[in-house]
Amino acid sequence: MAKKQFKAESKRLLDLMINSIYTNKEIFLREIISNASDAIDKLCYLSLTDDKVGLSREDYRIEIIPDKEKRTLTVRDNGIGMTSEECENNLGVIARSGSYKFKDEMDSEKSQAEDISIIGQFGVGFYSAFMVADEVTVITRKYGEEQGVMWKSSGADGYTVSPCDKESVGTDVIMHIKADTEEEIYGSYLEVWKIKALVKKYSDYVRWPIKMDVEHQERFETGEKDDEGKPKFDYRMVTENETINSMVPIWQRSKSEVTDDDCIAFYKEKHRDSKDPCALVRINAEGAVSYKALLFVPGEEHENAFMGDNKEGITLYSNGVMIMEKCDKLVHDYFDFVRGVVDSPDLSLNISRELLQHDRQLRIIGQNLEKRIKGELEKLMKDDRPKYEEFFKNFGVHLKCGVCDEYGRYKDFLRDLLLFYTSEDRQLSLKEYVANMPESQTRIYYASSDSVKHAMSLPQCEQVRSRGYELIYLTSPLDEMVLESLREQEGKSFCNVLTDDLGFETEEEKKAAEEQNVENKDFLDFVKEAVGEDIVKVRLSNNLGSQPCCLTTEGGITLEMEKYFRHGPSEEMRKIKANRVLELNPQHRAFQVLKEAYEKDQEKAKKLSLVMARLAEMISGVDIEDPAAFVSLVAEMF
Ligand code: ADP
């Protein structure tokens, strides 16, 4: 029989499949099963208006028949079937729909490696069979036809179409599996366990039963008796025609059928998580894009979930067929701890095969998901504060990074989800903080330190608290960056009590303080000189409460940032230093003693200046560089 040639455009795709270096060849089964399922859909739909079809819903099935001897894998359906023209039109050319678009993409400048990765994500339908088979035979009979058709091809050199006998309507796709090579054991696609695993992975929720003969052990009574007269048992292998997919996914069922508890049980099983998720989002959207989603915020952070290595993520399905295991385009990184499933029929018809549209639809879905996730978290924050705080402890860092990402592009979306620890020993959102501010308070005060305990002991904090104002304690450099990115809250600016003017002094007081500094200029210069390079300035301050001295900073780098940079990846980063200012409390006895020494005994005054600098470091939570030197300095003064 004369071979017919594939159209040129198909040939290239076919070549690619046959010689595919793609590692995910296993998706061929998903593709062939999806076609079978579509074919059943079509016949089932027809049966609604045509009672001659003679099949009821329960009769439809997809069968998988591995035959190791013949080395064939057959996928059989009792769907609509194809006429010989349809075989030629559908299998002989790249289908009008997605595969064509796929080919277009491939003709562009992209590298082959990239082309190949696209195969895995979107599939190219029927042709993918050639990734694992060296010959594919399709035996099919269209509904309403008496005669069957056999289409056969062993690859790029063409195909034959001929009439054949087929008893019932439907299609058999018979793939002759390639010989094993060193790199690839193609024979594994004939193993029952492997087929079961692939169906579970990719086609578990196809809505028609996928049947296969599965062997298992059975215990049976042999009919003989043992010494005690009890019946003897033995084991034998029996073959059963099993349904190997679970068919109806939980997210396709309505809220009246499936409770939230059912969803939680599903989550725990699917993600092997012993902890309940802390939030659940169920969406049934109809509109521009229809989809169902079942999403979970895990109860705790899982290993590798941070650092962009969250293997679980959101899985994308189209009509029960998995199209992407971890779809990271769906939501931004700040929500990448969310797990679950999105299933949209719109993806299968237009998208799974048409890349560009795909992106647009995904974006719409993604935006909706984000709104719903945020809504759910806000609800949790309001209704179950301890649970929200637990959530924030686990995942707050994702949200904080999100606020800082891309120059603060997402800060307003995320700001109300952030919590900050305050001097009242509680966690507040900025909105709540501002709502609690007394009328006289105009700024949002914060102090950063490596621990809350230390922050509480800072003299500047004492000042703020003594006025009845609440303070935010930041304990990580990321927190400082978050506030920097947020800039303000409801028009209230942030005030770093360690570097900024607290705004407590009247103009007159400020003037008086300035004059005091001018008056003491020579003395302050002396102290600066004595302390040396470590500080850029010495200044008098009335903000120190009961403490003798303190370190503050000038410019953008704070002491906390400096600590953070010290462990940075580059030498340059590690060298970054804050501009330190030594503040002295003129009300304190220590100041009087230092000043007296300056006037009477400058050697002693030098030493006292150094002691003062070290004390300031201590109180500001900075490690003293040379504790031994400090100890001998103090000891000498006895
Ligand atoms: P796509 O599914 O994107 O259309 P495929 O290459 O997978 O592309 O399939 C091409 C066409 O071949 C299908 O659209 C369908 O019309 C036909 N086809 C494939 N498999 C079957 C089948 N089992 N039964 C009926 N028609 C089929």
Side-chain angles (χ1 to χ4, degrees):
M1 195 186 321
K3 271 204 177 123
K4 302 193 180 191
Q5 294 302 308
F6 286 105
K7 300 256 161 68
E9 59 197 22
S10 312
K11 225 175 140 167
R12 165 120 203 260
L13 182 57
L14 206 55
D15 267 343
L16 215 123
M17 290 296 153
I18 295 163
N19 306 311
S20 174
I21 47 158
Y22 184 57
T23 50
N24 214 15
K25 295 187 168 110
E26 62 186 35
I27 56 127
F28 81 94
L29 189 59
R30 167 190 86 175
E31 297 296 313
I32 301 300
I33 290 176
S34 295
N35 283 344
S37 168
D38 289 349
I40 295 177
D41 282 349
K42 286 179 196 157
L43 188 58
C44 183
Y45 183 72
L46 205 67
S47 72
L48 299 177
T49 52
D50 180 350
D51 35 309
K52 286 201 287 299
V53 173
L55 291 171
S56 63
R57 265 195 89 86
E58 299 75 54
D59 300 326
Y60 294 108
R61 62 183 50 207
I62 297 164
E63 279 170 88
I64 303 186
I65 309 146
D67 184 331
K68 283 189 186 165
E69 263 163 46
K70 292 193 188 135
R71 215 180 159 79
T72 56
L73 181 64
T74 300
V75 176
R76 169 174 297 161
D77 67 70
N78 53 354
I80 189 124
M82 281 178 277
T83 61
S84 67
E85 282 93 67
E86 281 169 334
C87 280
E88 291 219 26
N89 290 337
N90 296 337
L91 309 177
V93 291
I94 296 181
R96 312 141 294 277
S97 65
S99 312
Y100 191 77
K101 179 80 196 168
F102 175 79
K103 184 208 140 267
D104 257 11
E105 289 279 319
M106 294 215 305
D107 285 344
S108 68
E109 300 292 284
K110 289 187 172 177
S111 74
Q112 174 132 335
E114 229 174 301
D115 297 341
I116 296 283
S117 76
I118 297 172
I119 300 174
Q121 287 185 3
F122 304 100
V124 283
F126 178 74
Y127 285 104
S128 59
F130 286 99
M131 290 199 289
V132 299
D134 48 24
E135 185 182 70
V136 180
T137 309
V138 179
I139 297 177
T140 179
R141 193 178 125 199
K142 174 90 175 186
Y143 169 70
E145 302 276 329
E146 288 306 315
Q147 178 79 60
V149 181
M150 174 152 64
W151 179 99
K152 199 178 194 137
S153 168
S154 20
D157 61 340
Y159 61 91
T160 58
V161 195
S162 54
C164 74
D165 286 338
K166 189 172 186 306
E167 230 170 77
S168 55
V169 168
T171 304
D172 290 3
V173 177
I174 307 158
M175 292 162 274
H176 185 266
I177 300 297
K178 288 182 186 175
D180 293 350
T181 63
E182 257 172 42
E183 297 89 48
E184 189 92 27
I185 312 291
Y186 292 101
S188 70
Y189 297 120
L190 296 165
E191 301 287 350
V192 167
W193 63 267
K194 176 79 176 179
I195 297 166
K196 268 179 105 170
L198 291 181
V199 168
K200 202 89 214 138
K201 182 168 176 190
Y202 294 105
S203 313
D204 198 29
Y205 303 117
V206 165
R207 60 194 164 286
W208 306 108
I210 301 172
K211 301 262 190 185
M212 185 166 63
D213 280 347
V214 179
E215 267 196 335
H216 60 87
Q217 267 193 343
E218 187 187 69
R219 205 168 96 109
F220 71 102
E221 222 173 303
T222 59
E224 294 167 25
K225 305 252 189 256
D226 64 12
D227 300 345
E228 292 166 24
K230 286 189 190 139
K232 267 189 173 174
F233 287 91
D234 202 353
Y235 290 90
R236 64 181 165 205
M237 295 308 280
V238 288
T239 303
E240 240 176 297
N241 195 242
E242 265 183 32
T243 300
I244 53 176
N245 59 329
S246 38
M247 300 200 277
V248 185
I250 191 164
W251 60 86
Q252 288 287 7
R253 301 195 195 148
S254 69
K255 283 194 180 175
S256 58
E257 280 180 281
V258 174
T259 64
D260 284 359
D261 283 346
D262 293 334
C263 293
I264 289 170
F266 162 81
Y267 165 82
K268 287 164 102 171
E269 195 209 297
K270 173 141 199 260
H271 296 279
R272 274 167 253 101
D273 193 345
S274 58
K275 237 180 151 174
D276 277 3
C278 72
L280 167 68
V281 179
R282 300 174 74 172
I283 308 175
N284 180 2
E286 269 160 35
V289 187
S290 302
Y291 65 92
K292 296 209 165 64
L294 179 58
L295 304 178
F296 304 91
V297 176
E300 64 188 4
E301 179 88 291
H302 291 88
E303 226 178 303
N304 301 334
F306 194 42
M307 310 304 290
D309 198 19
N310 183 3
K311 291 267 172 4
E312 307 277 350
I314 298 173
T315 310
L316 208 56
Y317 282 84
S318 168
N319 271 334
V321 177
M322 196 257 273
I323 44 181
M324 213 185 288
E325 199 159 18
K326 190 205 161 189
C327 184
D328 46 13
K329 281 213 192 80
L330 220 42
V331 294
H332 285 101
D333 286 352
Y334 47 75
F335 280 159
D336 72 355
F337 48 83
V338 174
R339 297 165 156 192
V341 172
V342 171
D343 192 336
S344 169
D346 294 343
L347 297 180
S348 92
L349 298 175
N350 310 315
I351 299 171
S352 79
R353 320 286 162 120
E354 286 199 26
L355 305 176
L356 290 178
Q357 242 209 333
H358 196 165
D359 271 336
R360 203 183 66 82
Q361 313 250 36
L362 275 187
R363 245 197 334 272
I364 296 175
I365 296 181
Q367 280 165 0
N368 290 342
L369 296 185
E370 291 206 357
K371 270 188 224 143
R372 290 292 301 269
I373 296 167
K374 181 181 167 188
E376 209 53 46
L377 290 173
E378 282 176 327
K379 205 167 125 235
L380 188 68
M381 191 185 212
K382 212 167 99 238
D383 300 345
D384 189 345
R385 196 56 175 238
K387 206 162 166 190
Y388 188 80
E389 287 179 9
E390 176 74 18
F391 154 77
F392 195 75
K393 196 172 103 207
N394 287 323
F395 301 108
V397 67
H398 295 246
L399 306 180
K400 289 177 193 175
C401 288
V403 167
C404 302
D405 257 8
E406 293 188 44
Y407 306 102
R409 201 166 150 192
Y410 313 112
K411 66 176 192 226
D412 289 321
F413 182 73
L414 296 171
R415 71 165 69 224
D416 291 344
L417 295 176
L418 302 178
L419 287 183
F420 294 93
Y421 187 78
T422 81
S423 50
E424 299 291 316
D425 192 21
R426 58 179 174 176
Q427 297 191 60
L428 294 183
S429 70
L430 290 172
K431 210 166 158 184
E432 292 163 337
Y433 178 99
V434 169
N436 283 330
M437 275 166 53
E439 224 166 276
S440 60
Q441 185 181 348
T442 54
R443 303 161 192 212
I444 301 171
Y445 293 102
Y446 72 92
S448 41
S449 171
D450 39 15
S451 74
V452 167
K453 192 160 165 251
H454 176 249
M456 284 167 88
S457 67
L458 288 167
Q460 291 91 337
C461 294
E462 210 178 294
Q463 284 269 316
V464 177
R465 283 205 315 272
S466 68
R467 295 189 174 238
Y469 299 163
E470 196 163 359
L471 266 149
I472 289 173
Y473 292 143
L474 305 182
T475 48
S476 87
L478 176 60
D479 288 341
E480 276 189 89
M481 289 183 229
V482 167
L483 291 194
E484 212 152 276
S485 183
L486 291 175
R487 294 244 153 83
E488 51 85 43
Q489 173 75 29
E490 294 156 62
K492 307 278 187 277
S493 60
F494 296 111
C495 174
N496 181 346
V497 300
L498 294 177
T499 53
D500 301 333
D501 176 10
L502 299 181
F504 295 157
E505 289 169 317
T506 60
E507 282 309 310
E508 273 159 34
E509 282 168 334
K510 267 193 201 157
K511 223 167 130 207
E514 212 31 63
E515 276 166 16
Q516 213 179 5
N517 271 298
V518 173
E519 273 166 30
N520 284 290
K521 185 172 184 309
D522 291 345
F523 164 62
L524 297 176
D525 284 349
F526 171 85
V527 178
K528 156 86 187 75
E529 182 77 27
V531 176
E533 296 291 289
D534 293 350
I535 53 172
V536 295
K537 201 195 253 176
V538 182
R539 165 169 81 205
L540 300 181
S541 163
N542 298 315
N543 284 333
L544 303 184
S546 57
Q547 300 292 357
C549 58
C550 176
L551 273 190
T552 60
T553 54
E554 273 185 353
I557 314 289
T558 64
L559 291 172
E560 283 315 300
M561 287 182 190
E562 181 189 297
K563 275 186 219 162
Y564 176 71
F565 290 137
R566 198 173 305 146
H567 304 290
S570 69
E571 184 63 27
E572 214 164 291
M573 207 176 199
R574 290 193 288 273
K575 272 197 213 141
I576 296 178
K577 286 255 179 303
N579 291 330
R580 300 171 182 206
V581 177
L582 173 61
E583 295 204 352
L584 303 176
N585 181 355
Q587 260 56 266
H588 202 282
R589 212 181 69 82
F591 173 83
Q592 318 288 352
V593 173
L594 174 59
K595 186 135 191 227
E596 245 174 70
Y598 165 69
E599 276 148 17
K600 294 191 188 132
D601 177 356
Q602 296 221 335
E603 268 317 297
K604 186 177 171 198
K606 264 189 199 160
K607 286 180 186 163
L608 286 174
S609 300
L610 283 168
V611 172
M612 204 67 123
R614 300 291 89 85
L615 293 179
E617 283 167 3
M618 275 193 242
I619 200 153
S620 304
V622 175
D623 289 337
I624 294 182
E625 236 167 62
D626 189 350
F630 175 64
V631 169
S632 29
L633 179 68
V634 175
E636 259 174 54
M637 302 183 67
F638 279 95

